[in-house]
Amino acid sequence: MKDIADRIRELRELLDISRKEVEIRSGGLIKATSLSSFENAQSQISISYLRQLVEFYKGEGIETSFDWLIAGNGPGPSDSVTLESNLSALKEVSFFKKNNYKSLIYTVTKSMTSLNIAQGDIIGGVYSKNNPTHSKFRLFKLNNGETCLYLSRVDGKKVVIFDQDQQKISYLPLETVQEIYDVVWIRKFI
């Protein structure tokens, strides 16, 4: 469980700067030595110093709350680039769904490193009207409600799945598949 010292350090590490850099950027209001003693839980921090930290990090583009810093309540800090990126991703997903009838959006839950697909990437697929026999990235909506992403092709009554990370081929019975979507859009997670 994180304590206040961990949360103070986490804020600085989000910016990827040293304590001395915090002192310089804050115009000397936040001393590197004080910050070190707070981050290492060697001394207690005053409410006014906590407020200075919150204001300093907000000025540096890190959104955080006083409540989170003191007690860990509420969402943790995030930088404005992340917030803008998330908003941009939502707009892209909305645009994709609006312009692609019978489409499917999927957030990757397991990285496929050999294919440069990472956990958190957003995948957009369009409904495949026929059983595709050529190898391609596809989303499979299964009868049990699960959605899966595979490099695959359909061969008769089975789906041939190519797992390049495990270097193996597996099979999925076609009768377990409700719908197949061809992947046409990938939004990398930032």
Side-chain angles (χ1 to χ4, degrees):
M1 177 113 179
K2 290 183 179 180
D3 59 14
I4 193 168
D6 294 324
R7 289 188 292 275
I8 291 170
R9 181 180 304 105
E10 183 178 335
L11 282 172
R12 182 178 56 78
E13 289 175 347
L14 265 174
L15 283 177
D16 195 27
I17 61 174
S18 68
R19 293 179 188 103
K20 187 66 180 168
E21 185 66 22
V22 170
E23 183 174 342
I24 292 166
R25 289 186 186 186
S26 71
L29 289 174
I30 301 168
K31 301 290 183 204
T33 54
S34 299
L35 195 53
S36 176
S37 67
F38 300 143
E39 287 182 3
N40 293 307
Q42 294 170 335
S43 62
Q44 291 189 342
I45 189 168
S46 70
I47 297 295
S48 63
Y49 214 93
L50 281 171
R51 282 200 172 98
Q52 283 181 327
L53 284 175
V54 168
E55 289 306 311
F56 168 75
Y57 287 112
K58 279 186 181 178
E60 294 290 319
I62 303 293
E63 293 299 319
T64 190
S65 71
F66 192 66
D67 194 32
W68 176 83
L69 192 55
I70 291 175
N73 296 330
S78 59
D79 60 37
S80 55
V81 171
T82 302
L83 292 172
E84 289 171 17
S85 177
N86 289 343
L87 183 57
S88 175
L90 286 173
K91 287 178 181 177
E92 288 176 40
V93 166
S94 176
F95 181 82
F96 180 84
K97 292 288 284 178
K98 186 170 114 185
N99 290 291
N100 292 285
Y101 174 74
K102 192 128 177 158
S103 61
L104 181 67
I105 297 293
Y106 174 74
T107 302
V108 176
T109 57
K110 182 182 172 215
S111 294
M112 302 165 85
T113 52
S114 64
L115 301 171
N116 197 27
I117 302 290
Q119 182 176 355
D121 288 353
I122 302 170
I123 307 290
V126 294
Y127 182 71
S128 181
K129 293 179 178 72
N130 51 16
N131 287 338
T133 56
H134 57 283
S135 298
K136 186 176 178 182
F137 274 121
R138 293 190 177 81
L139 291 168
F140 291 86
K141 194 174 201 181
L142 304 180
N143 292 332
N144 65 6
E146 187 179 350
T147 300
C148 303
L149 172 68
Y150 298 125
L151 176 60
S152 61
R153 67 179 171 81
V154 174
D155 184 13
K157 295 189 182 257
K158 65 183 179 261
V159 177
V160 180
I161 300 166
F162 306 99
D163 187 335
Q164 292 187 324
D165 289 334
Q166 302 289 323
Q167 295 188 340
K168 69 178 187 178
I169 295 174
S170 56
Y171 302 93
L172 178 70
L174 196 55
E175 70 261 8
T176 64
V177 177
Q178 184 179 1
E179 295 175 331
I180 301 173
Y181 295 81
D182 292 329
V183 172
V184 295
W185 175 70
I186 300 174
R187 171 59 151 85
K188 299 302 288 177
F189 178 73
I190 298 175

